[in-house]
Amino acid sequence: MSLYIDHRGHGPVQLVLLHGWAMHGGVLEPLVEALEEQCTMHVVDLPGHGHSRDCGLPLEPRACAEAIAAVTPPAIWLGWSLGGLIALTAALELPRQVRGLAMLCATPKFVRDASWPHGSDDKLVHQLASDLETDYHATLERFLALEAMGSTDPRAELRHLRELVFARGEPDLRVLQEGIRILETSDRRAALPDLGVRSAWISGRRDRLVPPQAMAWSASQCGGSYTEIQQAGHAPFFGHADAVVQALQPLLAPSSPEQVR
């Protein structure tokens, strides 16, 4: 089975959208609706997630980037959370395919260590990996709660995330484990100065998974724009889609004919 990609919108700017861990492309619907007039969008269900559950492709950034690039036109790539690591990989390694990069609550290195104070606690990631083996649904529930934390209405957002996560069936346990390993081990900080495309880094001030400082630092390393949405948590497209669209405008404005159809 091949990757599932939903093609939406009819605007002149080509845009690939990538969701986060344990989710699917449908979770980005508020943002998709807000961009339909401006963009033609290719909304991906990553391997093992949603309608791509039986795809069989490993959830590995380079493999995913190549598979998506093979079936989409040159475009701006937007990645939320874990999807940002795939979008960043594509921008660094497939420059002919990626016309711009939008990182939405996404970081080149997820786990905190002595060299990186802006990451998440490594114990949290290790615990998620361990708990997946014993209590799959409770682990997803705990992660959803972390995603909703910090939003203006965390209970409503958690309720929405619960409804969405299984709306296209349960994600494959194999790729959930692969995703945790990616979060544990990925580190693309050193490559940021080599990023050859325009980039926009958009954070939620109340994000408890990807600290805004991580994104501000990353933007400074590659000359990208940085926007912090004041009242948002880890999923700013819930309740703040218009603010996300506004932050994307410098990237979406065509700088050359190559960026449009």
Side-chain angles (χ1 to χ4, degrees):
M1 178 181 174
S2 58
L3 279 173
Y4 175 83
I5 300 178
D6 187 18
H7 303 283
R8 298 281 300 277
H10 49 270
V13 180
Q14 298 286 339
L15 180 65
V16 169
L17 292 96
L18 307 177
H19 61 82
W21 184 78
M23 293 292 176
H24 51 75
V27 75
L28 298 170
E29 184 64 22
L31 186 57
V32 171
E33 290 182 354
L35 288 168
E36 281 186 323
E37 297 294 324
Q38 191 171 7
C39 300
T40 295
M41 290 165 283
H42 313 276
V43 189
V44 180
D45 278 5
L46 292 171
H49 297 77
H51 296 319
S52 296
R53 190 183 193 281
D54 299 322
C55 171
L57 190 73
L59 190 67
E60 188 278 321
R62 177 67 190 236
C64 288
E66 289 179 344
I68 295 163
V71 293
T72 57
I76 296 167
W77 286 41
L78 181 152
W80 170 55
S81 197
L82 175 64
L85 279 168
I86 297 170
L88 177 58
T89 297
L92 289 168
E93 301 181 20
L94 304 172
R96 293 187 178 183
Q97 192 69 21
V98 181
R99 303 303 189 198
L101 173 68
M103 297 285 280
L104 182 57
C105 297
T107 173
K109 178 174 168 58
F110 187 76
V111 175
R112 182 169 63 239
D113 62 23
S115 73
W116 183 238
H118 307 313
S120 289
D121 188 347
D122 62 340
K123 294 179 182 177
L124 165 67
V125 182
H126 295 330
Q127 191 64 48
L128 286 172
S130 174
D131 291 350
L132 272 174
E133 299 285 350
T134 57
D135 199 337
Y136 170 88
H137 288 94
T139 304
L140 289 183
E141 175 78 14
R142 187 157 52 256
F143 189 76
L144 295 179
L146 288 168
E147 289 189 315
M149 193 181 299
S151 72
T152 51
D153 191 348
R155 290 185 179 180
E157 191 161 308
L158 177 57
R159 200 159 49 241
H160 196 177
L161 287 167
R162 281 182 185 138
E163 293 171 357
L164 285 170
V165 69
F166 298 125
R168 298 183 181 178
E170 294 186 357
D172 183 4
L173 178 58
R174 171 186 64 86
V175 296
L176 292 180
Q177 293 167 329
E178 290 175 356
I180 290 293
R181 285 195 293 272
I182 291 167
L183 293 176
E184 284 184 306
T185 61
S186 292
D187 184 358
R188 302 309 304 263
R189 289 176 297 169
L192 290 178
D194 299 326
L195 189 64
V197 297
R198 293 184 300 165
S199 62
W201 301 73
I202 305 167
S203 71
R205 184 175 186 179
R206 299 177 174 182
D207 194 339
R208 297 297 184 269
L209 285 172
V210 177
Q213 298 92 326
M215 303 197 65
W217 180 89
S218 299
S220 74
Q221 298 302 298
C222 59
S225 66
Y226 172 69
T227 303
E228 187 175 300
I229 300 176
Q230 295 301 305
Q231 302 301 316
H234 188 63
F237 42 85
F238 291 138
H240 304 279
D242 289 344
V244 175
V245 171
Q246 186 61 37
L248 288 171
Q249 290 311 304
L251 193 62
L252 299 179
S255 61
S256 70
E258 291 181 338
Q259 195 170 302
V260 300
R261 287 183 291 186

